[in-house]
Amino acid sequence: MQLFKRRDIIFIRAQGKKMKKDMLIRKLENVEIPELLIVSHREKLKVVLIEGTAGMRRPGKAPMPAGDFIGAISDAFNWLRAPAWRAAAASGLALFIVAAVLAAVFYVAGPSPAVIAADVVKKDPAIQQRLTGSGEIIIVRVDVRDGMASVVCCRGMGDFIEADVDMNVRTVVQTRRYEGLFMPELPQAEQDKAIQIALSDIRVKDLINSGAQIGRVFPIFSSISNMTVVNGNILKVTPAASQAVVPVLLNGKTWLVQVDLEEMKIERVIEQQSNSPNLFDMYYLRQNL
Amino acid sequence: MKPETLLSDSKLKAEEELVKRAQHNPEAFGELYEIYYQCIFNFALKRTANVQLALDITSITFLKALNQIRKFRWRDVPFGAWLYRIAGNEINDHYRRQGGKRIASIEEIAELADTGDYADEINHAEEELSRHEEFLLLHKKLAELPEMYQEVITLKFFEKKKIREMVKILGKKEGTIKSLLHRGVEKLREKMQ
């Protein structure tokens, strides 16, 4: 029979404890986690949150006191949880209460001046005519000061228009056109990085092995780091490109590999269809500018 | 935009713009809602292991977020982290009100299931949840721990959050979170023996 010294026993117990803790950690890391979705609830809650405020502008109405808000939440839950036969009776009242609460949150200011100015520009027929390019009008920047707004907008790959909006009468009073200089090349190092990320995808590797070639890498930017007027009539836009598209071409077909340069990963790989819009129009995204 | 609590600078900037718009525009809040609904619901589900309760927590979270968004001050922390914090606080408050016990087991909830027009979805979700036996067993033991340990263990192991993300969500220092994780796992191990 083997005799253990006391310190050995303590050591063995400690080792045993450590192993069990390691096992528990592995179990926690590897346990299958439920990921569920209740679509109806998501849709209903959105209606309660968002659409209940539509058109509900009641100037002069005092915000609901906190206690009534709690009651409104409770009513909202009862509406969400009630069986169908009770929901028919309760839904109208609950919706009204919740909508009144939510309207009180939004009624004071209504849309911000920037939103109003952007809306005026988008709807101005003269601007719609002056803008070149195709697609929706994109508002690039809005600057509101002293009752006037300066709105820079563009459409597709066209030029930029800068519009001055009189906020008192909500009308465009002056416009200036700038030739757009907004598509700088990605630095070579970034292009190489994008290609390396794309090549980590098995589909891209297969295409390359089949004889595909890499096309010109171009940036996707989600924000603008700088916008300056150059020589009086050229608007130079410096993007902050965190993503890029690597085209892969084989036998007349193109695959577009969208990569995230910061997180060093592939967002998606799409086979461009022959009847799809121009590559640049589709992927030279100007979201959230 | 992906529902993340750790964003790159450009994504953080884009989210900041969206949040500013949402402070005055319900439709912009709707965009935030669409981005974060799923992860908040699943976070609540992992904390509570109860579909109906998770739905309620999700509803409260977004209602509170909507009510408070005009007072929300951007501090270079993703909006999702704020939502997680609201949801976590709601869950903790719920259990405190219930004396630290869950109000119903999965089986009881099945009996209480409402006949509303998404009751079928809830029933299916409950069935799906009940198949995750290992998770439910872990959760049962985890629910016996103090809430501070439940929070960190859920975020780390079930939500797969990095420590940096947990710092933003919980508003605690990295060392504190690591310490809580260490002690929490130890206590969970003791419960499981």
Side-chain angles (χ1 to χ4, degrees):
Chain A
M1 186 173 87
Q2 191 176 10
L3 292 176
F4 291 95
K5 292 183 183 166
R6 188 165 180 272
R7 64 169 184 266
D8 292 331
I9 294 171
I10 293 171
F11 176 72
I12 290 167
R13 279 187 183 158
Q15 286 296 94
K17 247 174 104 172
K18 185 176 184 298
M19 281 195 308
K20 286 179 185 170
K21 187 175 176 186
D22 287 345
M23 278 170 59
L24 174 58
I25 290 175
R26 270 200 298 277
K27 193 177 250 195
L28 286 166
E29 285 171 348
N30 296 318
V31 68
E32 197 183 322
I33 308 289
E35 294 279 342
L36 307 175
L37 174 63
I38 313 291
V39 175
S40 310
H41 176 268
R42 185 182 68 185
E43 299 304 317
K44 274 191 179 177
L45 180 56
K46 189 174 182 181
V47 167
V48 170
L49 288 172
I50 310 301
E51 295 181 15
T53 64
M56 297 288 290
R57 301 280 183 260
R58 294 192 288 182
K61 199 83 176 170
M64 188 174 285
D68 290 352
F69 178 70
I70 303 297
I73 292 179
S74 178
D75 286 345
F77 289 153
N78 289 337
W79 178 71
L80 288 168
R81 298 183 66 179
W85 63 268
R86 278 195 280 150
S91 60
L93 180 61
L95 270 174
F96 177 79
I97 292 170
V98 173
V101 168
L102 296 174
V105 172
F106 288 102
Y107 87 94
V108 174
S112 68
V115 169
I116 293 171
D119 201 49
V120 166
V121 165
K122 276 189 174 183
K123 289 176 178 164
D124 188 276
I127 287 187
Q128 287 176 7
Q129 263 194 324
R130 283 198 79 181
L131 277 169
T132 54
S134 60
E136 275 189 47
I137 295 177
I138 298 169
I139 302 296
V140 177
R141 175 181 283 184
V142 181
D143 190 15
V144 182
R145 216 172 292 188
D146 302 328
M148 291 292 293
S150 166
V151 181
V152 178
C153 61
C154 63
R155 183 158 56 195
M157 297 296 290
D159 292 341
F160 289 92
I161 296 278
E162 186 176 16
D164 294 335
V165 178
D166 186 328
M167 295 302 293
N168 295 319
V169 293
R170 300 192 182 183
T171 310
V172 174
V173 295
Q174 196 175 4
T175 58
R176 289 169 293 283
R177 178 196 294 281
Y178 293 105
E179 183 184 327
L181 237 193
F182 58 88
M183 198 172 160
E185 291 279 351
L186 269 178
Q188 188 60 47
E190 296 278 62
Q191 289 188 42
D192 293 340
K193 189 172 158 185
I195 292 170
Q196 286 309 310
I197 296 170
L199 287 174
S200 66
D201 186 272
I202 187 83
R203 292 164 287 184
V204 175
K205 277 188 198 154
D206 286 343
L207 286 169
I208 297 294
N209 290 338
S210 304
Q213 291 187 321
I214 303 281
R216 186 164 77 95
V217 178
F218 53 93
I220 296 174
F221 52 78
S222 57
S223 64
I224 287 181
S225 64
N226 191 30
M227 195 187 293
T228 54
V229 178
V230 177
N231 294 336
N233 66 344
I234 296 177
L235 188 67
K236 184 177 171 188
V237 177
T238 309
S242 62
Q243 301 202 351
V245 174
V246 180
V248 179
L249 301 95
L250 177 66
N251 298 333
K253 281 186 174 178
T254 304
W255 284 260
L256 301 165
V257 186
Q258 185 177 332
V259 304
D260 188 315
L261 296 167
E262 287 176 6
E263 300 193 12
M264 305 279 291
K265 65 177 187 182
I266 290 173
E267 296 283 349
R268 52 183 172 166
V269 179
I270 295 174
E271 183 181 339
Q272 189 181 17
Q273 302 302 315
S274 56
N275 59 351
S276 63
N278 177 279
L279 188 71
F280 288 168
D281 279 345
M282 190 186 226
Y283 286 100
Y284 199 69
L285 301 175
R286 301 195 210 184
Q287 294 171 1
N288 303 317
L289 296 179
Chain B
M1 205 182 294
K2 287 184 184 174
E4 296 168 21
T5 47
L6 202 65
L7 300 176
S8 60
D9 285 345
S10 55
K11 288 178 184 173
L12 208 56
K13 188 90 174 77
E15 187 168 86
E16 184 185 357
E17 293 301 319
L18 182 57
V19 169
K20 281 182 179 162
R21 283 196 291 125
Q23 287 175 321
H24 304 283
N25 183 343
E27 285 183 10
F29 185 85
E31 289 181 49
L32 288 166
Y33 172 85
E34 289 292 345
I35 292 167
Y36 287 109
Y37 171 91
Q38 183 63 16
C39 65
I40 295 298
F41 168 67
N42 274 299
F43 168 65
L45 185 67
K46 285 161 199 166
R47 279 292 310 271
T48 62
N50 180 319
V51 173
Q52 188 63 70
L53 181 54
L55 290 173
D56 288 350
I57 296 293
T58 306
S59 302
I60 295 179
T61 299
F62 282 102
L63 276 165
K64 281 198 168 179
L66 180 62
N67 190 41
Q68 293 167 21
I69 194 165
R70 295 187 80 192
K71 290 184 269 183
F72 178 81
R73 275 168 50 192
W74 185 264
R75 290 194 182 98
D76 281 338
V77 173
F79 187 73
W82 185 55
L83 291 176
Y84 267 96
R85 201 183 295 194
I86 296 175
N89 289 341
E90 276 310 309
I91 293 165
N92 293 337
D93 287 347
H94 169 80
Y95 284 122
R96 275 186 223 128
R97 284 193 296 270
Q98 298 299 328
K101 293 186 183 132
R102 286 160 52 193
I103 54 168
S105 64
I106 298 294
E107 291 75 22
E108 288 165 41
I109 288 295
E111 290 171 11
L112 292 169
D114 63 86
T115 56
D117 53 2
Y118 56 90
D120 282 345
E121 277 196 88
I122 291 180
N123 289 337
H124 289 139
E126 295 279 6
E127 277 173 27
E128 179 61 32
L129 181 62
S130 67
R131 287 190 203 110
H132 291 80
E133 291 175 2
E134 199 178 6
F135 165 76
L136 290 172
L137 175 62
L138 279 169
H139 181 273
K140 191 176 174 186
K141 296 296 177 187
L142 185 61
E144 294 172 20
L145 299 183
E147 61 197 35
M148 58 184 173
Y149 298 128
Q150 292 184 43
E151 275 183 330
V152 293
I153 289 176
T154 301
L155 285 170
K156 171 75 179 152
F157 295 107
F158 299 159
E159 287 284 301
K160 312 292 184 196
K161 294 295 182 197
K162 299 186 178 74
I163 299 289
R164 291 177 295 160
E165 294 178 275
M166 291 167 67
V167 165
K168 292 184 192 299
I169 291 169
L170 298 171
K172 293 184 163 76
K173 292 181 186 172
E174 191 170 313
T176 307
I177 289 172
K178 285 179 178 173
S179 173
L180 286 171
L181 268 170
H182 173 77
R183 292 205 303 268
V185 169
E186 184 54 40
K187 287 196 179 300
L188 183 62
R189 188 194 63 79
E190 288 166 11
K191 289 275 178 196
M192 293 195 70
Q193 277 185 330

